[in-house]
Amino acid sequence: MPSRVATSTTRSRPRPSSPVTLNEGPSTTLRERICAVFSDVQRSNTGHRKLVVSLRKTQESCCFEPTKPSKKRQDDVEFDEAQFNGEVTRCALRILPVKKSEPVGDRIVKFLGMFLKHATALDSAIFQEGNADETQGFVETPSSRLASQVISQCLPLLQAKDKVVRFRCTQIIASLINTLDYVDDELFDYIRLGLIKRLRDKESNVRVQAVYGLGRLAGQLEAEDDGEDSDDDTAGGLLEKLLDLLQNDPSAEVRRSLLLNLPLTQSTLPFLLERARDLDVSLRRALYGRLLPALGDFRHLSLTHREKILRWGLRDRDETVQKATARLFSERWIEDCARVADAEPPETKSIQAAEPSSEGLLELLERIDVANSGHDGGIALDAMKEFWNSRPDYRSFMNFDEAFWNDLSAESVFVARTFNDFCHQDGASELLQEKMPEVTRFAFLIQSNVNTLVKLVQDLATQENDESDSEQQEFIVEQLLAMALTLDYSDEVGRRTMFSLMREALAIADLPEEATRLVIDVLRATCGTNSTSERDFCGVVLEAIAEVHDTIMGEEPQKNHEDPDESFHSARSEQSGDSTPKQRQAKEDVDPDKAIREIMVNMKCLHIAQCMLQNVECNLESNVDLVTMLNTLVVPAVRSQEAPIRERGLLCLGLCCLLDKNLAEENITLFLHCYNKGHEQLQMIAVQIIGDILAAHPSLLTTRSTPSPEGTDSPEHPLQKPIHKLFSKSLKSSSPSVQSSACATLCKLMLSAPSATTDGNVSVLNADELLKLLVMSYFDPDTVGNLSLRQSLSYCLPVYCHSRRENMERMGRIALNIVHWCIGMKEEMDVDGDEEAGSEIVGINVVTAHLIDWTDSRKLVMAKRGFGAEPEEADGHVHLQLADDILEKVLGVCTREERKTHIAMLGKLYITPNSDPEMLKNVNRLVAEAIDDKVAADAVTRNSLTKLQAALAKCMETHTSVPASSRPASRDKSSGGDIDDAETVAGEGDDDVDMQSTLTTPAASPRKQKSRRTTTATSLSDQTVLTTATTPAASPRKKSRKMAAPEPPTMFAPPEDLDPALTATSPNRSPRKRTLPQRAKRNTTAMTEASSSPLADAVDNEDDSHDDTVNEILMADEVASPTPAPKSQADDDKENDEPDLSLLSLVDKASNPQSKVKEEKTEARSDAMPQSKRGGRGGRGAGRGGARGGPPRRSVRAGRRKADGEVEIDD
């Protein structure tokens, strides 16, 4: 063969597989030694050090004159440095076509870097000894010349078309750059330009190596202007290019390489810390596990960076990131503060942990600003929880003695508060008893700090004090009150002391609101938990409200106290006195201080009332104090003209409605009105109040699920429309806060809505419209920026659907509407040309994937039958109903895009045998109709229909459970095929084999015995299926084919002139005879909607002919006896001689084309048939039709190739 190729003509091309042999010169001993070294390098990484020394000796023998000539190495003298460099470069370039998955290439690159580093160090020592008195910046050495030669050979190959070559060249250059200490200036520029171009390479592994190499150069070029005399690819600074790549590169490996190789400077640090919010978890782990611990003293970071690092790390989804952040705070940052300043130089600091230091801990808390981050929900609480958990030495070291409590600061009180919380959560009661003071001592400590706070607040009002001092003291009081909530009040003396002191503190008018809330919480804890204690608590708080009112209003002039109408009860606005607006305006102009005091007293009293209502659970009507407060304080505040008073009054009224159902029912319309007419803040308050009321009193929106009398509509709940309108408007609001608030409220209500199957009630919240609103908001491109709403729905929707079957069924009912809405929105955006909004819309494949997942019954939370019992087996009823709806839609009127999307959904549905048999048969009929009507336009959609048809056939065969002995005997030896091969049976045209014809009645009915040429209407499920593949050609068959030819069945109107006798219920009737009217009735709506279209007019013209055909089929079936007559042995033998047309035999024939039945008549008929009538391309068996006297022997391929050449059977 090689000689024939050599003598071929000039037009012949060489084989691509023939290797191209390069002339590399004769083999020498130097080449053999160097090749042996590189050969050993490829085996493993263990012997690289010895090989580096061996190659270095060879280099020295070639580049330097030997001081002691050796007799064994006389042949080394003839080789010079150029030959050595050429051989090493030749071996290094051998790895260029080696793929990344091969470790051989990485070992050689690593060895080359180790050798150059070792050789460069030895060469530098040699040249420095010879030139000790001279100072030179760059000295050429044999190793530097070798590195320059290797890099120069790789630089032109950076533009190669082969991605493997580009990767290896970039890898070699990056490795050598990070090994060498200096490079020639001219070569440096070429390296920089070549690697910058590789930053935009389409292969991510090439970009990773380019970043690895440029990271070493970025620090030196930060101050240079790289934009001069450069093309577009290299314009701008190198550091800016790398930072842009760090933010926008789609590959996580590239971003991770940038994170670990960029220099830590003041300009790069903010970009590096941003990676704490990166989507890739490995990148976040690298930041918290490698970069931040190696960053040095954390005090060089700004306060904002410290707070963000802690907040993002401790609240990360990944547990590894959380643990790394906890170690960073409790081991690294505390050590930076605990070490004595300047005790050791930074270079010689020991890695051992410093001794526990209270001053270091206080400094650490000061560095993270606990005064602002130490409140409830702040990150300082989470950080200190991890600190106490991981540092038992500090738990035993801290001492809360008398001196500690007498000199409290924001940091010290926060240490005590977090230590107290940790001991309560961890169960360390011994530490609490040992280190914390008793209740009485703690009560007096709170009293002392409250008095200090009140004095600072009063001084601040007179501009005699700094605001920061009052804020620090307020934080101290809040932390002490938070600790008081966890104290043990079994000591009656301590409890009484705390109760009396809290009662006095509550009556202080200048106490800040947050401290007032905590005082009320502590007062509630000291009162007890029974109903009597709750009533006493309400009485005490109302007395404190009266005292606060008298204290504030007592500052008026003495003449105002003589007016008997001025009291705490007149919390409403100035509605009495002056009768005209002019007089009221004159009074306000004369006495503005009184109006301000009115607002102050109402706001303070309403805040105390709000905090009290949040701590009670009794019935409102049974508590006289609460009723009095409602009538004298809350109701006037709601009617006030001042917006702050009115908003706080609405909050109090909403809390009162939670305690009384009748009050809630009376005032829910008020809150609806507030939403409709109020501003943004008032709308949020109204939505939250309505949600709380409906959650506390779910019976307000429930109705009995009793059927209404015939001819009358079920009464609608009076709140149904207002509630639906409220959430519809709020979810479409222009305010993101209102949207997210309404979304969270509606999600909670729908998750907690009562089920109709449990208590017989139907909730207004269990409506398809509300669920549809939520799903549309989830996929709406306008909510892309509302992350709170998206996050709420991403949790709520799966939980809602997978918690109850009825919820999942509700999602299945609206699935097609959601798909239609998404497709319509996409089309509108395409027409409008809004590319920005079109890029934000969710893809239709993502939408359908969500809908299928939400309706998957395998993820449904099943109720167990008993203790230790397994959950019930999931059925595919929801997906089966969804398939029925999809097929109805596909067979009806829909766009091409919708049809393609809907059919693609069919292949992803979960169908099980334990579903409803009637529904299985109905869906199977619809699939057959869809295949007959050729609704599938491409191979993908056809495969979806075929897959669904095969799954349905398998499920229906499980339902029938037909014994094998009762099936007709098969003459085909390969009739034992598997049911899973049924996908190969499904065809597309009218000559598809009806799978159902072999699943219900295995015995031959009078159809087979009576006539072999009549049309067979197989009533195997609740539909009429025309089995064109199992009967020979006859004139009635043509009628049946014409019946299947018109428009999709969903457009047919119900036959009005159908004989009532045919539709009457009879025990001997076939299911087909009552299915046709049902099918038509279900499609009446689709017909009504399309009545104005030309297609509907065409269907109306064909109604009469269609009804006549249906009647003929039904009458023919009436004549045939539904009960088979007894068969004789001769009949059985005759039936056994008939060909097996069952599903298994068809599957075997499709899977084994070599097996065929040799019948002379059939072969003759097939050979005589023209090519166009045998199934298009002339495949074997494609046009094999039976003669008049024999059964048809049509293969499955005939059904698949009907579109190419349809088989026509003569009468």
Side-chain angles (χ1 to χ4, degrees), residues 20-63:
V20 179
T21 304
L22 299 178
N23 185 11
E24 297 180 349
S27 178
T28 60
T29 57
L30 177 64
R31 177 177 296 180
E32 293 177 357
R33 287 201 301 269
I34 294 176
C35 290
V37 170
F38 276 90
S39 178
D40 294 338
V41 166
Q42 302 177 38
R43 297 176 182 175
S44 66
N45 296 325
T46 54
H48 281 192
R49 292 184 179 274
K50 294 182 180 180
L51 296 174
V52 165
V53 175
S54 176
L55 189 61
R56 173 61 183 176
K57 291 180 180 179
T58 305
Q59 184 189 28
E60 290 177 351
S61 65
C62 295
C63 301

Side-chain angles (χ1 to χ4, degrees), residues 672 716-727 764:
L672 292 171
E716 188 181 65
H717 196 281
L719 291 177
Q720 180 174 356
K721 287 186 177 180
I723 294 298
H724 287 189
K725 185 178 179 181
L726 167 71
F727 288 110
V764 174

Side-chain angles (χ1 to χ4, degrees), residues 375 408-410 413-414 417 442 445-457 469-485 502 505 508 511-512 514-519 522:
H375 297 282
L408 287 176
S409 62
V413 73
F414 190 74
R417 186 263 174 95
F442 201 81
L445 182 64
I446 294 176
Q447 183 187 26
S448 175
N449 285 274
V450 167
N451 294 335
T452 304
L453 174 61
V454 172
K455 185 176 182 304
L456 290 175
V457 170
D469 296 337
S470 61
E471 291 178 355
Q472 293 282 337
Q473 187 62 29
E474 182 179 355
F475 180 78
I476 294 174
V477 172
E478 291 174 2
Q479 301 305 308
L480 292 175
L481 291 173
M483 294 174 62
L485 290 172
M502 291 299 102
I508 299 176
L511 194 65
E514 184 63 22
T516 302
R517 183 186 66 82
L518 292 173
V519 166
V522 175

Side-chain angles (χ1 to χ4, degrees), residues 1086-1100:
M1087 184 62 199
T1088 305
E1089 294 176 353
S1091 59
S1092 59
S1093 62
L1095 182 62
D1097 298 335
V1099 171
D1100 292 336

